[in-house]
Amino acid sequence: MNSATVRNLLVRGMLAGLGAGVLALIAAYFLGEPNVDRAIGFEEAHAPAHEHEVEIVSRSLQSTAGLATGVLIYGIAFGGIAALAYCVALGRVGRFGPRATALLLSGCALLAVYVVPFLKYPANPPAVGNGDTIGKRTTLYFLMMVLSVLLAIAATILGKRLAPRLGTWYATVAAVAAFAVVIGPAFAFLPVVNEVPADFPATVLWRFRLSALAMQVILWGGFGLLFGELAERLLNPKPAKAEESRAMAAAPN
């Protein structure tokens, strides 16, 4: 794959990330923000009167422009990173076409980057979590994410090496099993974080976590579909367009 193709795929990955970010933004606004408002209401109702803070950024700005900025930048950034990973993975993880490789990559990224860390350290709304432990909680979450990504890469390499001897199906099963066995100790031995107030509404917490998960599924699923289509058009142009290009090249000046 030459540098021009990599550059084109990178640009398409960022565009696909932007498009997927728009879809995720809609989901976040309609599914997540109402639960954030409920959590903030709980926090304000239980805070002493003298501890109410003056808003530097209004809640309406946070839930619109602030949310849009964060989600769209996230989508563009991870779209670019995923596009570069796609350049490495294409043709090396099996006999998959551009679209199938994009969907496979986005599904693996969703699991490794978000779902596995989410199962250990799920997302929490405002009013959940001690402000003094935010550094520790952030470190633990990113440690879990890095471990998940590295082990997913190792499992992919293992499956690739086992495929000639076991076949694709059994090699994939063995790689997934190895990933589960190795990631298990991380779940068992990394510290548990449970700072949910005893009287916090369980329904709000559950809905917030479901909406956070849905946002990521929409983001990565949308990216896989959009980027797969863009990559397919770049790497496998339609025959009619290829014939037209050859005819134009052969035509006399």
Side-chain angles (χ1 to χ4, degrees):
M1 189 175 293
N2 58 46
S3 59
T5 303
V6 173
R7 182 172 61 251
N8 288 331
L9 286 172
L10 175 61
V11 172
R12 283 163 172 77
M14 296 173 71
L15 290 174
L18 176 62
V22 172
L23 298 177
L25 174 62
I26 295 172
Y29 184 79
F30 288 103
L31 298 179
E33 285 302 312
N35 296 302
V36 173
D37 289 335
R38 295 186 185 100
I40 291 175
F42 173 88
E43 185 178 37
E44 292 177 346
H46 289 73
H50 65 278
E51 291 187 4
H52 288 289
E53 299 180 356
V54 178
E55 286 187 334
I56 300 176
V57 180
S58 67
R59 173 65 189 140
S60 61
L61 185 61
Q62 293 175 18
S63 62
T64 52
L67 178 66
T69 301
V71 173
L72 295 180
I73 290 178
Y74 178 90
I76 293 171
F78 273 85
I81 295 172
L84 295 177
Y86 178 88
C87 295
V88 177
L90 185 63
R92 294 185 175 93
V93 294
R95 297 179 180 179
F96 300 105
R99 287 195 188 99
T101 302
L103 285 174
L104 178 64
L105 177 67
S106 61
C108 292
L110 171 66
L111 291 174
V113 175
Y114 189 79
V115 173
V116 172
F118 177 88
L119 293 175
K120 177 66 178 179
Y121 300 114
N124 287 324
V128 174
N130 184 349
D132 296 334
T133 64
I134 187 170
K136 175 185 175 181
R137 288 184 280 121
T138 302
T139 300
L140 288 173
Y141 180 84
F142 277 100
L143 175 61
M144 191 69 200
M145 183 177 69
V146 170
L147 284 174
S148 177
V149 171
L150 292 178
L151 290 176
I153 294 173
T156 302
I157 295 173
L158 175 64
K160 185 69 176 176
R161 293 184 176 180
L162 291 177
R165 287 184 291 172
L166 302 180
T168 302
W169 172 256
Y170 290 107
T172 302
V173 172
V176 172
F179 176 84
V181 168
V182 178
I183 201 70
F187 275 87
F189 295 113
L190 283 178
V192 175
V193 177
N194 184 11
E195 299 178 351
V196 180
D199 56 345
F200 190 87
T203 302
V204 174
L205 180 63
W206 175 247
R207 288 178 177 174
F208 177 85
R209 289 176 173 175
L210 278 182
S211 63
L213 181 59
M215 174 184 165
Q216 293 292 328
V217 171
I218 292 171
L219 177 69
W220 286 105
F223 172 80
L225 292 172
L226 291 172
F227 182 65
E229 183 63 29
L230 294 174
E232 180 75 26
R233 294 186 179 187
L234 174 67
L235 300 174
N236 292 328
K238 293 182 179 180
K241 291 185 177 180
E243 290 293 338
E244 182 180 350
S245 298
R246 283 195 292 268
M248 291 178 63
N253 294 329

